Amino acid sequence: MASAHLSGFTDTSIQIAKPGVKIIYTLPSDNLLELDSSNNKAVAPPSSYMPAIINGWGIFTNKRSCFLRSSMAKALPKIAAYQYVLSYECPQGMNEMSIRYNLFAEQWRGHQNYARIFMANNRMRMRFTFDKKTLSLPVKQLLNEWGRPLTTTFFNTDPHSQLQVEGWGDPFSIKEASAQQITEAGTVKKTIHGQNYSSIDPSFIWLGMTHIWQGFDHVLFIIGLLLIPCAFKQLLLWVTSFTLAHSITLALSVLGVFSIPPSITEPLIALTVVILGIENLYYLYQQPKDDLTFKQRYRNRWWVIFCFGLIHGIGFSYLLQELSGGEDIWGRLLMFNLGVELGQIAIIVLLLIPIYAMFKWKYGLKIGGISSLLTSLVGAIWLIQRI
């Protein structure tokens, strides 16, 4: 079966306070199919996956396990995601803490869980990865160095939607550095007189690049643009149209100007792949007899690509909505979109010379036609699955 959108990215807010530890874990709902041993092709309600989510997390303090006090699950239909809230109590004290995350490690070696840790009005961040599944946190030492006690209560809502937090660095163990060293490294930011401070997060560039590389429907659409012979200026116009269009709808969707559910957007993205392949076949096998220039031959194609780009931009927005609710949204939007563009350029640069050489070959047009036909067939499979 053709797959397209198992992103491999999840998001977590971790609050450490006197009552214990509160985890708010958000992930694309279709990713949970990887945890379903029944091989169902439809995503079950959020509560169905609660046992797997609970088993995937572990909180340990003073070398003993904390116990789960409460758990809740809900759907976030606007971004096709599920959210799980786990609250832990640690009666043995919290001088030394370890937080273990062990979900999706077998399914994706490249899986990353972007985590924010909120403790004593300070914020830290890290990424749980395949080879970094445990965060070691010397709570007592850090509180002494900061000169602050733990807060008496948890936030009522997800703090990452309320506070501005800087971006994530490489996976690390906080235990390896003092509080002062962590601050100097940019991994901790403090709230000063109730004001929050944040900066543009360049890590979102890589997030945007990997997002488009792992979105096979977007990749296939870009490849489809290259499957007919054209002048470089014409290709540049198409790519620019696609870029401008998806940048517009990405921004509008993330900023909340409008909201279109994935149940509509994802089938439409698949349909753009189908139509693009068919259009390629038309241009390849219905060439005019007179000697028209490339510009004249493809003069109407740019606006079709522009319209398709508007649809793809909404598809790009879901991951960023999940990871950026309320915090430094403009900087993250800029960096994420830049990453998408760089990922797109990388695909084109990688394929441009081989495809140019293909069309110089006497069988190049036939290969282009077969590839375009396969593009439409794969898009049709996605369309049927998503409907």
Side-chain angles (χ1 to χ4, degrees), residues 208-209 212-213 222 225 238-240 242-243 246 316 338-349:
M209 294 174 67
I212 192 170
W213 291 338
I222 294 171
L225 296 178
W238 297 343
V239 173
T240 302
F242 182 68
T243 298
H246 73 62
F316 290 144
L338 177 59
V340 169
E341 307 315 325
L342 291 175
Q344 179 178 290
I345 291 172
I347 296 170
I348 294 173
V349 169

Side-chain angles (χ1 to χ4, degrees), residues 77-80 260-269 318 383 386-387:
K78 289 186 178 181
I79 57 174
I260 299 177
S263 58
I264 295 176
T265 305
E266 296 301 328
L268 288 178
I269 290 176
Y318 297 127
L383 179 61
R386 296 174 185 186
I387 290 177

Side-chain angles (χ1 to χ4, degrees), residues 5 79 207-219 221-222 242-243 245-251 253-254 265-266 269 308-323 333 336-337 339-341 343-344 347:
H5 268 295
I79 57 174
L207 183 63
M209 294 174 67
T210 54
H211 184 54
I212 192 170
W213 291 338
Q214 294 177 353
F216 298 132
D217 47 3
H218 303 303
V219 172
F221 185 88
I222 294 171
F242 182 68
T243 298
H246 73 62
S247 298
I248 292 172
T249 48
L250 169 63
S253 183
V254 170
T265 305
E266 296 301 328
I269 290 176
F308 289 171
L310 294 175
I311 299 171
H312 282 252
I314 301 171
F316 290 144
S317 71
Y318 297 127
L319 176 65
L320 192 57
Q321 288 182 60
E322 178 187 331
L323 295 178
L333 177 61
F336 182 82
N337 195 45
V340 169
E341 307 315 325
Q344 179 178 290
I347 296 170

Side-chain angles (χ1 to χ4, degrees), residues 222-223 225-236 238-239 344-360:
I222 294 171
I223 293 175
L225 296 178
L226 305 174
L227 292 179
I228 58 175
C230 65
F232 180 77
K233 289 183 179 180
Q234 199 68 40
L235 177 62
L236 183 61
W238 297 343
V239 173
Q344 179 178 290
I345 291 172
I347 296 170
I348 294 173
V349 169
L350 183 65
L351 296 177
L352 194 59
I353 294 178
I355 289 181
Y356 176 80
M358 179 187 76
F359 283 119
K360 288 296 183 180

